[in-house]
Amino acid sequence: DGGITQSPKYLFRKEGQNVTLSCEQNLNHDAMYWYRQDPGQGLRLIYYSQIVNDFQKGDIAEGYSVSREKKESFPLTVTSAQKNPTAFYLCASDSTGYKNTEAFFGQGTRLTVV
Amino acid sequence: GNSVTQMEGPVTLSEEAFLTINCTYTATGYPSLFWYVQYPGEGLQLLLKATKADDKGSNKGFEATYRKETTSFHLEKGSVQVSDSAVYFCALSDWRTGNQFYFGTGTSLTVIP
């Protein structure tokens, strides 16, 4: 079955550590996105990539980094520079440039700083 | 620019009540409009969509009509069930500008028996 897989589902990080969240899709989508969701709030865009080896900052990119070496994969690194990383992180993908397409979401990773 | 505004929650309804969640949008082009649903601890799932003015999206008893004149895409359901309890997000995207999605802040719905 095609879809988006995020791992792990739960992640704990000590202060000062970098952690990487995985996002893989087998939908052959060109575009991939990372969103952050805080309790009671909407989704805020962290980074997005519309093609391999290219990505752009979203609204809240500070303290995060990404790479897009393969079409299927878009990992997100939460660095120690991110002051408040505890949140629910969602990865999504869609077919950029195709009319009327919807975004498909993974099941999310809940990151907690301990 | 593009943006989405949806009614704030939380919304609590009794089973079989009528549901309306308001959503209005601002867009520079001709966007597609979407409603997504999020169950606790999960990602977002597409509920319905509409791609041009006057289109009606529908799924699982939910409906929303793309109203260009009022820039709205209100979600409705005639008779809610306990299993509809979730957070609902209105969103837009415009493939002409790279298909980036813009989401509302979400509306939490709780349906009580």
Side-chain angles (χ1 to χ4, degrees):
Chain A
D1 287 338
I4 299 181
T5 302
Q6 289 186 241
S7 62
K9 190 171 176 66
Y10 299 96
L11 186 57
F12 297 89
R13 188 195 95 170
K14 293 182 179 178
E15 295 218 16
Q17 282 184 338
N18 293 354
V19 289
T20 297
L21 284 59
S22 171
C23 179
E24 303 277 333
Q25 54 98 359
N26 60 3
L27 299 166
N28 200 33
H29 285 168
D30 292 308
M32 297 186 74
Y33 309 81
W34 275 105
Y35 292 92
R36 170 179 170 142
Q37 186 179 25
D38 293 284
Q41 298 190 30
L43 281 69
R44 292 185 288 171
L45 183 64
I46 304 173
Y47 269 97
Y48 64 102
S49 168
Q50 296 182 323
I51 194 170
V52 174
N53 292 323
D54 188 42
F55 47 83
Q56 288 78 41
K57 293 181 179 180
D59 301 319
I60 55 165
E62 185 176 351
Y64 299 97
S65 66
V66 293
S67 63
R68 187 84 187 277
E69 297 177 0
K70 298 186 299 181
K71 188 175 185 178
E72 302 79 19
S73 179
F74 191 41
L76 173 74
T77 296
V78 185
T79 75
S80 57
Q82 171 50 237
K83 298 305 179 189
N84 185 21
T86 295
F88 191 53
Y89 291 87
L90 287 162
C91 180
S93 71
D94 68 44
S95 299
T96 301
Y98 286 87
K99 198 174 181 180
N100 308 332
T101 183
E102 65 263 27
F104 292 79
F105 283 81
Q107 291 299 296
T109 293
R110 185 165 300 281
L111 174 63
T112 303
V113 173
V114 296
Chain B
N2 296 331
S3 68
V4 174
T5 302
Q6 63 180 102
M7 66 182 280
E8 294 188 12
V11 174
T12 302
L13 295 174
S14 297
E15 206 165 21
E16 299 184 2
F18 184 85
L19 169 71
T20 299
I21 300 178
N22 290 338
C23 172
T24 57
Y25 68 90
T26 302
T28 53
Y30 301 92
S32 296
L33 301 175
F34 306 84
W35 276 101
Y36 281 85
V37 59
Q38 184 181 34
Y39 299 100
E42 297 185 8
L44 275 67
Q45 303 172 26
L46 179 69
L47 181 60
L48 53 84
K49 69 178 183 182
T51 59
K52 61 183 187 297
D54 300 326
D55 267 3
K56 177 186 283 189
S58 61
N59 185 27
K60 299 180 181 179
F62 290 90
E63 292 183 341
T65 301
Y66 189 168
R67 301 285 189 201
K68 191 168 183 293
E69 64 277 13
T70 55
T71 63
S72 65
F73 192 55
H74 305 321
L75 182 68
E76 297 183 337
K77 186 175 185 182
S79 176
V80 293
Q81 305 300 313
V82 172
S83 56
D84 294 327
S85 298
V87 180
Y88 293 82
F89 290 91
C90 185
L92 71 81
S93 75
D94 189 343
W95 67 276
R96 297 171 185 81
T97 56
N99 221 41
Q100 184 177 343
F101 276 73
Y102 297 84
F103 288 88
T105 53
T107 301
S108 175
L109 170 67
T110 300
V111 180
I112 55 178

